[in-house]
Amino acid sequence: LLQYTRGTVTAFAPFDARADAEALRKAMKGLGTDEETVLTILTTRNNAQRQEIASAFKTLFGRDLVDDLKSELTGKFETLMVSLMRPAYIFDAHALKHAIKGAGTNEKVLTEILASRTPAEVQHIKQVYLQEYEANLEDKITGETSGHFQRLLVVLLQANRDPDVGVDEALVEQDAQVLFRAGELKWGTDEEKFITILGTRSVSHLRRVFDKYMTISGFQIEETIDRETSGDLEKLLLAVVKCIRSVPAYFAETLYHSMKGAGTDDDTLIRVMVSRSEIDLLDIRQEFRKNFAKSLYQMIQKDTSGDYRKALLLLCGGDDD
């Protein structure tokens, strides 16, 4: 998959998988656990190195590192450490599987992942899902969702967004007019037009369409979506628009909302911090600072505690003030 260079977590050097495995075993052996050692090692090695540590752990001790973490740690800290140990290639597929199993579907997870991943990443997620769970992701998702929300998810799952190759201004104008007529000018909204255009046009084309839409209507497209749609469809359309504008800005906002107000949405906080830590967390931090008058580091510090906080701050990789 793509080479990313804007993560906060990179390969640790000099790296010694066996030494790390021994340190982790020592930290979890006997009475009480040395959490500090566990969190320091797991947040400062990249995912590929964590997999090597797990393999060395099994080789040296005949024990499963993830099982040991689960039996020695508790709560959100345990969830975070176990998430860090999940092989990177399966991370999204696993999150989607858990979002659509059992009672009730977690639409938030479906929205976040399918709106933000590139077409190449979506193709990869579908393949992994089939290999790992012997099930078709699209079938699973259509079985648990309905209406226009379901249709837009299916469009995104096709991963057939137009490639970014130059922008045709005439088509920009046309799409902007179609969206204007489907949204602001109609009683009820022609959701299908929004689904097709937002789900299939190239990123650079859509950025121009949003500018043109503003010129024609006097509204940001987000305002129209907000007024004319509701529920899961509204959230998904907004997520797609935000990711077209800027994926790091979308994740900065997602992180902000996971911590803002009473209570923390720890599942979202953990999922985003872990899944973006080797991709674009530096860019997310920059957007966060720009848009929310405080840094991601400060917000995590204020909103979490204990070893969980220490580990998240290490993943965050620094303050931006």
Side-chain angles (χ1 to χ4, degrees):
L1 287 172
L2 306 170
Q3 276 317 111
Y4 291 106
T5 56
R6 299 290 297 156
T8 51
V9 177
T10 51
F12 184 84
F15 174 61
D16 181 344
R18 287 193 160 216
D20 284 349
E22 282 165 356
L24 287 169
R25 175 70 184 128
K26 191 173 160 220
M28 293 189 282
K29 201 174 173 174
L31 284 174
T33 303
D34 169 10
E35 286 90 355
E36 191 90 23
T37 297
V38 175
L39 72 87
T40 304
I41 291 175
L42 297 187
T43 58
T44 55
R45 311 303 188 257
N46 70 9
N47 193 284
Q49 291 175 325
R50 289 178 214 129
Q51 306 313 320
E52 285 185 55
I53 295 169
S55 153
F57 197 87
K58 201 164 266 185
T59 298
L60 296 172
F61 313 114
R63 305 174 67 91
D64 185 287
L65 177 54
V66 173
D67 288 348
D68 279 10
L69 290 167
K70 284 178 175 170
S71 71
E72 293 296 324
L73 310 175
T74 56
K76 299 173 284 201
F77 180 56
E78 176 196 335
T79 307
L80 177 57
M81 293 299 110
V82 170
S83 299
L84 285 169
M85 289 308 303
R86 194 155 289 125
Y89 81 92
I90 197 183
F91 196 91
D92 287 344
H94 180 274
L96 289 169
K97 177 164 173 62
H98 283 265
I100 46 189
K101 83 172 216 218
T105 306
N106 189 337
E107 291 84 3
K108 183 186 271 184
V109 176
L110 301 186
T111 294
E112 180 196 299
I113 292 177
L114 293 174
S116 65
R117 301 318 190 244
T118 65
E121 287 167 337
V122 173
Q123 292 292 11
H124 179 252
I125 291 166
K126 291 194 295 188
Q127 286 160 1
V128 170
Y129 202 93
L130 193 55
Q131 283 156 11
E132 295 292 319
Y133 307 120
E134 296 177 354
N136 177 299
L137 177 58
E138 189 183 315
D139 292 348
K140 289 287 176 196
I141 286 177
T142 50
E144 296 294 330
T145 55
S146 62
H148 289 106
F149 175 63
Q150 178 201 77
R151 296 198 189 106
L152 180 49
L153 288 172
V154 170
V155 168
L156 296 170
L157 278 165
Q158 302 319 299
N160 275 332
R161 191 177 287 290
D162 298 337
D164 268 312
V165 284
V167 174
D168 173 351
E169 286 301 330
L171 187 59
V172 166
E173 174 79 41
Q174 188 188 317
D175 278 352
Q177 292 286 357
V178 166
L179 290 174
F180 179 53
R181 286 196 298 272
E184 290 293 336
L185 291 185
K186 236 178 131 170
W187 288 104
T189 306
D190 187 348
E191 287 95 344
E192 199 155 273
K193 297 280 196 295
F194 276 81
I195 288 168
T196 303
I197 292 173
L198 293 179
T200 63
R201 303 286 198 258
S202 78
V203 170
S204 47
H205 172 85
L206 283 170
R207 285 177 184 162
R208 292 284 304 114
V209 169
F210 299 161
D211 292 344
K212 183 64 79 177
Y213 185 89
M214 180 75 190
T215 309
I216 295 169
S217 69
F219 296 110
Q220 293 288 11
I221 190 141
E222 289 92 332
E223 298 175 77
T224 298
I225 291 169
D226 199 27
R227 256 202 317 278
E228 300 290 335
T229 62
S230 61
D232 294 325
L233 174 66
E234 178 190 343
K235 291 185 185 119
L236 181 55
L237 284 167
L238 286 174
V240 170
V241 168
K242 286 168 183 175
C243 288
I244 294 291
R245 290 195 191 273
S246 162
V247 168
Y250 169 72
F251 280 117
E253 190 180 337
T254 303
L255 286 169
Y256 178 73
H257 286 291
S258 76
M259 292 182 278
K260 169 183 169 278
T264 302
D265 174 359
D266 293 292
D267 288 340
T268 297
L269 179 55
I270 291 169
R271 189 174 56 250
V272 175
M273 291 296 288
V274 173
S275 67
R276 308 314 286 187
S277 61
E278 292 179 43
I279 296 178
D280 55 1
L281 194 48
L282 289 171
D283 296 323
I284 293 168
R285 272 171 44 185
Q286 213 173 334
E287 290 291 336
F288 198 100
R289 186 72 195 83
K290 193 173 86 193
N291 298 327
F292 301 112
K294 56 166 86 74
S295 69
L296 177 58
Y297 192 91
Q298 287 157 3
M299 196 151 182
I300 290 171
Q301 206 160 25
K302 186 175 114 318
D303 227 75
T304 58
S305 61
D307 296 314
Y308 176 54
R309 176 206 272 160
K310 281 181 196 163
L312 285 171
L313 290 175
L314 279 169
L315 280 181
C316 184
D319 203 342
D320 297 288
D321 252 14

